[in-house]
Amino acid sequence: MPRRRTSSSSSSSTAPSAAPATPRNRTPQPVRVRRRSFGDFVKAFLAFVVLLALVVGVPLALAVAVGWPLPNGAPGLDWLQREITVQTFLSILTVIVWLAWAQFTACVLVEVKAALSGVGVPGRVPGSGPSQLLARQLVAALLLVGATAASLTPGLSQLGQSLEGNQKPSVAAAQQTPGLFAQQQEQAASTANALAEQAGQAGQAAARADGGASAASGDTKYYRIQPPEGRHHDSLWEVADRHLGDGRRYKEIFELNKDRVQPDGSKLSEASLIRPGWIMEMPGDARGGELVEMPDEAPNVSEQVQQQISDYAQTGGDHAQGGGGAQGGGDAHVSLPEQRPAPTPATPVTPATPAPGPATGGQHATPAAEESGRSFGLPEALLAAPLLAAGLLGALGRRRRQALWHSALGAVGGRRGMEPPTPTGDAQDAQDALLVGADPDGVRLLDRSLRGLAASLAAESRALPVVYAAWMGGNGDLHLQLAQPAGKPPTPWQVGQDQTFWMLARADAERYEDAETAAPYPGLVSLGTMDDSRLLLNLEAVPGLVSLSGAEADRAAVFASVAAELATNGWSDRMTITLVGFGDDLTPLAPNRIRHLDGFEDLFETMSAETRQRRGALGAAGHDSVLTGRTGPAQHTRWAPHLVLLAAQPSDEDALRLAELAADAGRLGIGYLVGTEGTDLPGAAWEMEITGDGKLLAPLLGLELEAQLLPAAQQRAVVELFTDADPERGPGGPANTPPFLVDISEQGRPAVYARLVGSYEIIGLDAPDGDRSAQLHEALALLLLHREGVHPRVLASALWPRGVTEDVRDALLERLRAWLGTDPDGTPRLGTDATGRLTLAKSVVSDLDVLRSLYYEATQGRGVDSRQVRGRLLTDALVLVRGPLLADRPEGRYRWLTHEIIDAQLPLLVADTGLALSEFHLERGRAEKAIEALNAALRTAPADERLWHELLRATHATEDADRLRALAADLIGRSGARGLPPRTEALLDELLPTWRDGVAAAG
């Protein structure tokens, strides 16, 4: 999706010795308008007829049928004494109709002017109300097809245009572009770019004239709110972040502009409600790469902009005069849509420390940051891909848990008790973006809905319909687009906009439970969004090839996104993903699903054999396609999809062979996505194009999507996360040093101590306000579990999973800072590191920090050379264990713990501590003490097989056979129907050879 540029250069007041920075504007792109359907033309024609009738027909009809309603001369006194006739009433009614017509015509002119200019929002005609709303709808319908010819081919776009439009008022839908006014918004963006270029030129001229001298700190400056880019809307937080250096100073901008009349006649009443085209007076110290001096007489500056600023400055009273810039010197400063100067050797660009960004838009790295490898902000590609992010986050958590168990069992180079590596740089940004952008609830609902549908159809002995695509609406409703009508859907599914759409409301989906059936449509993969609806294309159902054209880098970003989501999604059971022509190896994401092939010859050899094998298997089973057998007796055997992604351009000969190979792929469960440089790939059933501005186009399908991408930088960062968590990595991997060590001496007593292992308690702080106590406690717990730092957006996403505005988040952080207070030297206990992440001072400690530090000191520190010290430290560590983590957490809170691996780390840490202490006591012959330590550890880690083994050995050391038999019976009872693990059985055979006799007698 379109990226929002973040200014990182200095202002126009550059030092004289430095070469002036040249604004770099976006490369002009042709305006692309969504392909229009036949219905759009009908709507436009009807709108034209209605406008013609109302604007021209009404006055003509009045003139012909009624004539002039007012008296021809000045009325006398006798006019008041005349009898009121029917003609009098008709004349009065005619005057009212003339006035209504004049008002409506004025509304039409205002709306047409606003739509064609593309700048700002339409002015309000006094008292118009419904008249202006009707005029806006008619003008929008008329201009909807004014930029391009419509495609008459019905396709996937039908649902994307109707999902939300039928549920929102027209005014609201029009304001939430893209949608009804996509053309006007694109024109507004083009106008903003042109104004930015003018501002840059004027800034260079001013810099040359002044010799690079900076403007006085008291100058009055103004900022013009820019039009939205894609789904990104400007906010006062971002304006303050760019030009004042701190997003929290948005309140100063709000106070300067509150209740002042804007160019469209409205006023700023709430900090979060701003509109494109509004003008904001800025504090005197505002700076930024696009803040340039623009004298009123500058020829390159729009007179309209100058006049708006001049008029707005007069509404400010003391505000406008305080700086003395515009009034005193005759100059004004205007901040327009940001254009970042291109880095040059003479003027290197250094990224500034990022301030916490708003909840609705991501921060991005500057070119200099990317070249130097320095981390900066969160990647928007992952923030805008909720299903992909959820899949990656879930797969990463499973990989890290697997690594922990491998380490605990001594499977990796003796790295027992290892700590998972803490990501840094781009990998840390990627992990934070996954945490913020992931939508696990959406994945869960999609999976349950599809499996529930399959189970319902199987219960009715009906085959699964062929599904080409799925749309997930912004309200959570799910729409399936079928290849052909398939009758009435099973309850609670309903028929959608026509017989080829089945729809499930979110409320009905939430009532679904897990169904024991195979995933019916594992080949669904997200491609992008249109009108707040997300499209998932079913690659395995396409009757042939799907081609993707565009620049190589853009194609690679689409391919990487598709491959990563297919490899980690939560609505598939099994599949094979074959990659051909991929530069970066994505195998670490899912080694059991992804495989790489070197070239086309290997692909043809592999896929030809599999195609023959699948055809034979289908014929032998008596099925016509994989769908008819996927939920039958053969499920989980032959019917897993195989999706082939070819990023390399095939030759003409290879393209023909590929088309022949894929001719029957749809019914076999094999899908092909092929990258091409042109649009003439033989055998392509669907053709798509990815543009340089992130649009995914499919003209024949009527699609224009904001593409879901995984650019190369984010791809490498994600792969790094999985590689670092690989349990098979050698001894050169990360060490087992905890991320935060506590001074466990008497001098290291903390100022604030939180007990997390067991019930949640805080010592050293006053109890916060009762209404906000739970929220503050949850925020502190998250920070305590992440001593490396927490991005503000990650914190906000954890506390408000469904979203929150930046002012609410900022208010919480201020309360949290005030509650934690400061250290005696005045240092705040809640600080911010160089990357903008929130960190706790060393004086704020949890019992989990102490537990880790004690175990580390006992096994790798002072306890290595002193048995007495080791025993004391291990005993102190085990005393801290009072139960599971946050045992008494309130219902509905701490949902972010599902993304953490602390639930696996804590039991392993406790088990390692118990085992080490047991070994310490057994070396001294104190079997009872060893048993006591092991039982204490089992209360927190009851499933750890190692603890049970050591407990059996310690009990055997007591030479009490009855006690050993009782323990064996207890262990057998706990094992349930699955029985004892093989290694436990072998140990019992060694310690208690008669244990099987007891089992047989009990049976």
Side-chain angles (χ1 to χ4, degrees), residues 312-649:
Y312 186 75
Q314 296 175 7
T315 67
D318 296 336
H319 292 310
Q321 299 172 5
Q327 286 76 11
D331 295 344
H333 296 258
V334 181
S335 179
L336 291 159
E338 34 189 1
Q339 301 295 321
R340 187 169 54 199
T344 62
T347 56
V349 179
T350 303
T353 300
T360 57
Q363 296 173 329
H364 310 287
T366 62
E370 293 174 357
E371 292 171 4
S372 65
R374 178 174 176 178
S375 172
F376 184 77
L378 302 185
E380 185 177 349
L382 295 173
L383 294 173
L387 303 184
L388 169 62
L392 289 171
L393 198 59
L396 181 61
R398 292 189 294 271
R399 180 71 55 82
R400 287 175 171 171
R401 285 178 172 85
Q402 183 183 11
L404 283 173
W405 280 107
H406 274 242
S407 173
L409 297 176
V412 182
R415 287 155 59 203
R416 182 181 180 187
M418 86 166 204
E419 292 287 341
T422 301
T424 58
D426 291 340
Q428 186 179 21
D429 292 339
Q431 177 175 275
D432 287 344
L434 293 178
L435 290 168
V436 174
D439 182 15
D441 288 340
V443 172
R444 176 180 55 83
L445 289 177
L446 177 62
D447 182 46
R448 286 185 175 180
S449 301
L450 296 178
R451 293 181 194 267
L453 174 64
S456 299
L457 290 172
E460 298 176 7
S461 299
R462 296 171 59 185
L464 286 167
V466 177
V467 170
Y468 278 162
W471 288 90
M472 295 187 69
N475 58 358
D477 294 347
L478 175 63
H479 298 247
L480 299 182
Q481 184 162 359
L482 313 183
Q484 57 188 6
K488 182 180 179 181
T491 306
W493 291 77
Q494 306 172 18
V495 175
Q497 62 192 58
D498 59 42
Q499 293 297 319
T500 61
F501 284 96
W502 286 1
M503 189 272 288
L504 180 67
R506 180 185 180 94
D508 295 327
E510 289 176 341
R511 289 193 286 268
Y512 262 124
E513 296 181 355
D514 293 332
E516 293 296 330
T517 186
Y521 304 110
L524 285 170
V525 64
S526 304
L527 291 184
T529 58
M530 182 171 71
D531 294 346
D532 294 330
S533 298
R534 184 168 300 278
L535 171 66
L536 291 90
L537 186 66
N538 191 7
L539 286 179
E540 69 165 332
V542 178
L545 304 174
V546 179
S547 69
L548 177 66
S549 61
E552 183 177 0
D554 298 326
R555 295 201 316 263
V558 174
F559 275 109
S561 170
V562 169
E565 185 169 295
L566 288 173
T568 61
N569 71 47
W571 55 89
S572 301
D573 294 323
R574 294 186 306 113
M575 68 168 57
T576 301
I577 306 165
T578 297
L579 306 179
V580 181
F582 278 71
D584 292 330
D585 192 352
L586 293 173
T587 303
L589 301 185
N592 296 329
R593 285 192 178 187
I594 296 178
R595 67 177 179 182
H596 282 256
L597 295 180
D598 293 334
F600 283 93
E601 289 302 323
D602 292 340
L603 174 67
F604 291 134
E605 180 181 355
T606 301
M607 297 311 300
S608 296
E610 181 165 344
T611 299
R612 289 193 300 269
Q613 190 257 345
R614 289 204 176 206
R615 282 183 184 142
L618 280 177
H623 298 299
D624 58 348
S625 73
V626 295
L627 285 178
T628 57
R630 180 162 285 162
T631 56
Q635 62 173 310
H636 299 294
T637 55
R638 306 182 183 94
W639 316 119
H642 188 159
L643 303 175
V644 182
L645 307 181
L646 296 95
Q649 168 73 28

Side-chain angles (χ1 to χ4, degrees), residues 39-53 138 141-142:
D40 292 329
F41 280 106
V42 173
K43 293 178 183 178
F45 176 76
L46 293 177
F48 174 77
V49 172
V50 173
L51 281 173
L52 189 65
L138 293 174
L142 180 60

Side-chain angles (χ1 to χ4, degrees), residues 104-117 121-125 132 136 139:
F104 178 80
T105 302
C107 293
V108 171
L109 294 177
V110 168
E111 294 297 328
V112 170
K113 178 180 180 296
L116 295 180
S117 66
V121 294
R124 293 185 298 179
V125 178
Q132 188 162 5
R136 181 173 302 164
V139 171

